[in-house]
Amino acid sequence: MSDDEPTLTGKIKDKLIRTKEQWAKDGRALTGHTARPEEERLPPGQRLTQDFPVLDLGVQPNLSTSDWSLSVGGQVKNQVKWSWADFMAQPQQEFVNDIHCVTTWSRYDNTWLGVPMKALLAAADPKPEAKFLMVKSFDGYSTNVPLADVDRDDVFLGHTWSGKPLTRDHGGPVRLVIPHLYFWKSAKWIRHITFMDKDQPGYWEARGYHMRGDPWPEERYS
Ligand SMILES: Nc1nc2c(c(=O)[nH]1)N[C@H]1C(S)=C(S)[C@@H](COP(=O)(O)O)O[C@H]1N2
Ligand SMILES: [Mo]
C-alpha cells in the first residue's frame, strides 16, 4: 500500500458523505456573522456538546503502536520517519483546547498529551518554498492546511486524551490536532505529511469544504 493509494473500501459511509457534500452546496449552518475569539468562546453557528462525537468515513484502522509510523516528505530538507519509539522520544507536552466541528458541535476543555508540531517542523526543516501541507491518514483520508497554521505553539500530534491513550475511534494511536481550525483538519490515524509549494485540496476540500477552515469567520465551505 503506497502513501498515495486510498484504502477506502465498501465500508465507507456513502450516505454521510453525500449529506456533507450537499451541506457544502447549501451553505448549511452559515449565519453570516463573524465572531472574534477574544470576545466569544463559541464560534458563530456552533452549539456546545458535552460528549465527544465520532466522525470519519466509516473506516477505522486498527493500528497497534508498532504498526504506526509517521513519514514526512516533499519540500523539506530532512525526510523524517518516526516510529512509535522515535515519536515518544520527542518533547512531550500537555495541551488544553476547544474543538469546533463544521457539523456545528463544539466541545470545550479537552486535555491532551502530545508532541508539539514545532518539534516535527524542527526535525523536517521545511524548505523556503514549502507553504502548504497535505496530511494523509491510514484510512485513506487526507486534508490540506497552510504551513503557517501548523507552525504554532498550540498545534500538536496527540496520543493521549483525558489522561488515557487516544482510542481507535478518535484516531489513536496518533492524530493531528489543530484547535483553531474546524476539526476536519485534525487528521486521525496520521500517517504521512507532504510539504508542498502550492495548495491542493484534501478529501473534504475536494467536496466543497474550505481550503483553510477558520471557524471564526465561518470558513465552512469554498
Ligand atoms: N483520518 C481521518 N481523520 C479525520 C476524519 C476522517 O474521516 N479520517 N474526519 C475528520 C472530521 S470530518 C472530524 S469532524 C474529526 C472528528 O474527530 P473525532 O471523531 O475524534 O470527533 O476528525 C477529522 N479527521
Ligand atoms: Mo467533520
Side-chain angles (χ1 to χ4, degrees), residues 124-135:
D125 199 1
K127 293 180 181 172
E129 50 267 46
K131 297 281 185 270
F132 301 93
L133 277 64
M134 183 64 75
V135 184

Side-chain angles (χ1 to χ4, degrees), residues 49-97:
T49 181
Q50 308 294 329
D51 57 5
F52 193 2
V54 172
L55 276 104
D56 50 53
L57 305 172
V59 180
Q60 298 184 339
N62 190 6
L63 300 165
S64 68
T65 53
S66 56
D67 295 329
W68 179 85
S69 67
L70 174 61
S71 56
V72 173
Q75 303 293 335
V76 289
K77 289 177 193 145
N78 307 317
Q79 311 263 326
V80 174
K81 183 159 185 181
W82 281 349
S83 66
W84 176 257
D86 299 330
F87 172 70
M88 292 307 279
Q90 301 300 316
Q92 304 289 325
Q93 206 179 300
E94 196 181 292
F95 297 86
V96 181
N97 58 32

Side-chain angles (χ1 to χ4, degrees), residues 3 38 62 79 82 116 145-146 156 169 173 202 207 211 219-220:
D3 283 331
E38 301 80 23
N62 190 6
Q79 311 263 326
W82 281 349
V145 64
F156 60 97
D169 54 349
R207 289 168 176 77
M211 293 294 267
E219 292 177 346
R220 295 177 190 276

